[in-house]
Amino acid sequence: MYKLYYAPGACSLAIHALLIESGQPFEAISKSDVADFAALTPLGAVPLLEVNGEIIREGAAQALYLIEEHDIDLLPKAGEVGRAKALEWLLFANATMHPAYSKMFFAMRAIEDEAAKAKALEAGAAAIAKLWALVDKQLATTPYVTGDKLSIADIMLTVYANWGGYFSVEIPLGANVKRLLKEVSAHPSFARALAAEGVDYKAAA
Ligand SMILES: N[C@@H](CCC(=O)N[C@@H](CS)C(=O)NCC(=O)O)C(=O)O
């Protein structure tokens, strides 16, 4: 049985939804319920996926593993048209959009001077807004970022969009992005993962 270590509403939510999609038995364990989480990972970060007793870090690796292992229809297969584009969007989400938000969380925690913090958050929000504008442009031409089908990239982006609520500055989201967030946050596996983690989804409003 898989074990997923998560924090409510964190990037681990995408893996939680994927595990539900897989139909496989799994245990979801909140990081806050683990006495010595650092013993599991020196980085202290979620998601952690335990596979046959082995800990796998990095959400993108976990997502690719689960999709391939359980033939989950959330990414074109190797050799299929659109695979490279879908991987591009998966990595855009995980390695570009997520770190942009991580910088905001870092600024919020690490900068004590209020004026300097506000400046850093505004710069961070402007950088993230540019990324969402790119997503919005894509979604003006296709229902999902990778084309006609829902993919793991849409799910990851939907998770990150909800983090905007943590900040005092607004991160504007376009109408096409809002449409996607509304649909994906109501998708059965995503909605079940949200409920299991006790998270309210507010970004689609
Ligand atoms: N590259 C990692 C990033 C993991 C990450 O930043 N996780 C955040 C939650 S979204 C976390 O646990 N942060 C708490 C910390 O780093 O202490 C991944 O995609 O798995």
Side-chain angles (χ1 to χ4, degrees), residues 68-137:
E68 280 163 14
E69 189 69 12
H70 302 295
D71 208 12
I72 303 171
D73 193 19
L74 285 170
L75 202 63
K77 293 183 179 34
E80 280 182 13
V81 176
R83 168 86 176 180
K85 264 304 191 203
L87 288 175
E88 180 191 359
W89 277 108
L90 160 63
L91 291 169
F92 167 81
N94 180 258
T96 299
M97 187 69 92
H98 181 315
Y101 278 96
S102 300
K103 284 182 195 162
M104 298 273 286
F105 284 115
F106 183 79
M108 208 164 67
R109 276 198 312 260
I111 304 176
E112 283 177 14
D113 178 79
E114 287 303 324
K117 183 186 294 196
K119 210 169 161 188
L121 289 178
E122 271 184 26
I128 295 176
K130 276 193 194 160
L131 301 179
W132 282 118
L134 196 77
V135 177
D136 200 71
K137 194 169 166 205

Side-chain angles (χ1 to χ4, degrees), residues 116-203:
K117 183 186 294 196
K119 210 169 161 188
L121 289 178
E122 271 184 26
I128 295 176
K130 276 193 194 160
L131 301 179
W132 282 118
L134 196 77
V135 177
D136 200 71
K137 194 169 166 205
Q138 176 62 40
L139 292 174
T141 59
T142 53
Y144 304 100
V145 286
T146 60
D148 291 336
K149 282 175 77 175
L150 176 70
S151 81
I152 182 61
D154 301 295
I155 291 176
M156 287 177 160
L157 289 168
T158 302
V159 169
Y160 312 151
N162 208 33
W163 298 344
Y166 284 101
F167 307 113
S168 51
V169 283
E170 199 200 340
I171 300 172
L173 302 171
N176 298 305
V177 168
K178 289 268 181 94
R179 167 186 49 80
L180 181 84
L181 304 181
K182 200 166 178 182
E183 183 183 326
V184 177
S185 61
H187 187 75
S189 59
F190 196 99
R192 268 181 60 194
L194 282 172
E197 297 189 5
V199 173
D200 271 348
Y201 198 84
K202 299 207 172 117

Side-chain angles (χ1 to χ4, degrees), residues 10-12 31 43-47 57-60 94 98 102 109 163:
C11 50
S12 39
K31 172 184 168 175
L43 302 179
V46 292
R57 292 191 299 268
E58 296 297 335
N94 180 258
H98 181 315
S102 300
R109 276 198 312 260
W163 298 344

